[in-house]
Amino acid sequence: MDLPAQFKGESPVSWYPGHMLKAEREINKKISQVDIILEVVDARAPLATRNFRFDNISTSKPRILIINKTDYIPEESLYEWIDYFKSQKITVIAVNKYLKNASKLLLNLIISEVEKLKFCTLTRVLIIGVPNVGKSSIINYLINKNKACTGPVPGVTRCQQLIKVNDNISLVDSPGIMTPRIDNLESALKLALVAAIKDRLLDRLLIVEYLAYKLKLNGSCQFADFYKISDMDDFSDLINKIGLKKGKLAKGGLIDTGQTAIGIIKDFRDGKFGLLCLEHPDVAI
Ligand SMILES: Nc1nc2c(ncn2[C@@H]2O[C@H](COP(=O)(O)OP(=O)(O)O)[C@@H](O)[C@H]2O)c(=O)[nH]1
Ligand SMILES: [Mg+2]
């Protein structure tokens, strides 16, 4: 199905080339200290949450792409994405924070990648990715949380530069935060839904309308089913009904559609509409 016109066009959110340049410089500085890079993406939008500019600045270092938060998406979508990245010759692993052996799987993959390079010294790892994809969570389970000082929190730089994971592997202390590259409005909508950018930067009603479109397209649980209301063809009627159901009333008895949209976005992030991947590898081809 063709993308409806209201989701097409340029992103109203600028991606600040200056800001991005700064982020790249920071990563470049760290890259000189590392042997291997772990790039984290959100399984709900594995392309929108990648920043392809990063490809230009780290060609010489081996990289593992971590598809994180796989608990949010259907298994079929995950397999499609894994196949897609493998077809691009990208070393890929899929994890989520509920997976008991995620840390072990990841460490084994790091070791096997590093063995290919025949490093004999300590391997230094840098985790990068756009905001909120789960970098800190991954660092926390890799280092078993209490083992090191609270280096993984961005901005906390007072502790040592390397956090020891085991005798062979250390993490460069803070994650590299990349500014998302926002190519168009649809990417911005996906990034807002997965909280990689602030949703207030966009029209929240449009974000919710896009979500409704995606749920319909994927045959997932629809708003009408979840909120137990009769379906409405007109989107603003639908929002008003959901707002009434949620008790989001503004002064004068009108429905507060903004607050209603915030509530719906939260329900999505809480996984209330079931498993949903916002992207299909087709868009990459
Ligand atoms: N459902 C789910 N949530 C996750 C997962 N990993 C991280 N999160 C949540 O995503 C949010 C952002 O995680 P964080 O590690 O701070 O991301 P960072 O900004 O990349 O460091 C937090 O609320 C985490 O609890 C995951 O695998 N599944
Ligand atoms: Mg973090």
Side-chain angles (χ1 to χ4, degrees):
M1 202 213 286
D2 235 15
L3 185 68
Q6 65 268 40
F7 310 128
K8 283 186 181 161
E10 281 181 21
S11 165
V13 187
S14 98
W15 47 276
Y16 304 123
H19 203 196
M20 190 179 279
L21 207 64
K22 197 170 154 226
E24 283 180 11
R25 284 213 190 102
E26 287 287 305
I27 291 173
N28 262 325
K29 249 193 266 166
K30 285 179 187 147
I31 273 176
S32 61
Q33 308 162 25
V34 305
D35 304 306
I36 188 162
I37 297 149
L38 308 184
E39 182 186 354
V40 187
V41 294
D42 188 309
R44 292 166 295 179
L47 290 183
T49 55
R50 283 195 87 192
N51 182 333
F52 287 91
R53 279 173 70 104
F54 181 67
D55 286 348
N56 305 330
I57 56 174
S58 69
T59 43
S60 61
K61 306 278 177 175
R63 188 189 324 184
I64 294 171
L65 187 75
I66 303 177
I67 306 178
N68 191 38
K69 307 198 185 188
T70 58
D71 52 297
Y72 276 126
I73 68 163
E75 228 171 46
E76 317 84 77
S77 303
L78 180 59
Y79 290 136
E80 282 167 359
W81 278 112
I82 290 175
D83 286 349
Y84 166 76
F85 286 119
K86 284 189 171 162
S87 76
Q88 304 282 305
K89 309 262 177 292
I90 293 172
T91 307
V92 63
I93 185 168
V95 289
N96 67 69
K97 68 175 184 181
Y98 305 106
L99 209 64
K100 289 269 175 317
N101 59 348
S103 175
K104 203 170 157 200
L105 287 173
L106 200 46
L107 289 174
N108 285 344
L109 186 58
I110 294 171
I111 291 165
S112 80
E113 285 302 298
V114 163
E115 275 173 355
K116 283 187 204 160
L117 298 166
K118 302 202 175 16
F119 284 151
C120 47
T121 52
L122 181 75
T123 301
R124 289 158 304 181
V125 178
L126 175 67
I127 300 198
I128 64 153
V130 305
N132 220 35
V133 287
K135 299 176 296 297
S136 297
S137 308
I138 291 171
I139 290 172
N140 282 339
Y141 65 65
L142 280 179
I143 61 174
N144 207 358
K145 239 169 200 166
N146 311 320
K147 241 163 123 179
C149 57
T150 49
V153 184
V156 177
T157 51
R158 276 176 299 142
C159 51
Q160 81 261 37
Q161 265 225 300
L162 291 178
I163 302 166
K164 200 169 166 181
V165 174
N166 59 32
D167 286 343
N168 304 314
I169 299 174
S170 285
L171 292 173
V172 172
D173 71 352
S174 69
I177 317 276
M178 288 192 289
T179 320
R181 176 184 169 135
I182 308 174
D183 290 321
N184 51 45
L185 175 60
E186 195 184 9
S187 292
L189 292 166
K190 291 175 198 165
L191 287 164
L193 277 170
V194 304
I197 60 172
K198 292 192 170 61
D199 48 54
R200 66 171 162 75
L201 296 173
L202 294 167
D203 171 2
R204 287 199 181 98
L205 288 175
L206 191 67
I207 299 175
V208 168
E209 191 176 358
Y210 179 70
L211 175 62
Y213 159 73
K214 280 289 173 178
L215 291 170
K216 204 163 263 178
L217 201 65
N218 285 275
S220 318
C221 173
Q222 311 286 302
F223 287 169
D225 304 332
F226 180 70
Y227 296 114
K228 303 205 171 14
I229 51 169
S230 51
D231 202 0
M232 299 272 130
D233 282 339
D234 184 81
F235 179 70
S236 75
D237 289 346
L238 184 68
I239 281 290
N240 277 301
K241 272 213 155 179
I242 298 171
L244 192 62
K245 190 90 187 196
K246 278 180 167 285
K248 303 284 186 197
L249 296 180
K251 275 193 192 140
L254 291 173
I255 303 293
D256 188 334
T257 51
Q259 284 301 320
T260 306
I262 289 174
I264 297 172
I265 293 169
K266 182 176 182 306
D267 287 339
F268 167 71
R269 292 181 185 151
D270 289 344
K272 299 272 179 66
F273 305 111
L275 303 179
L276 176 70
C277 186
L278 298 168
E279 281 178 328
H280 188 271
D282 281 356
V283 297
I285 298 162

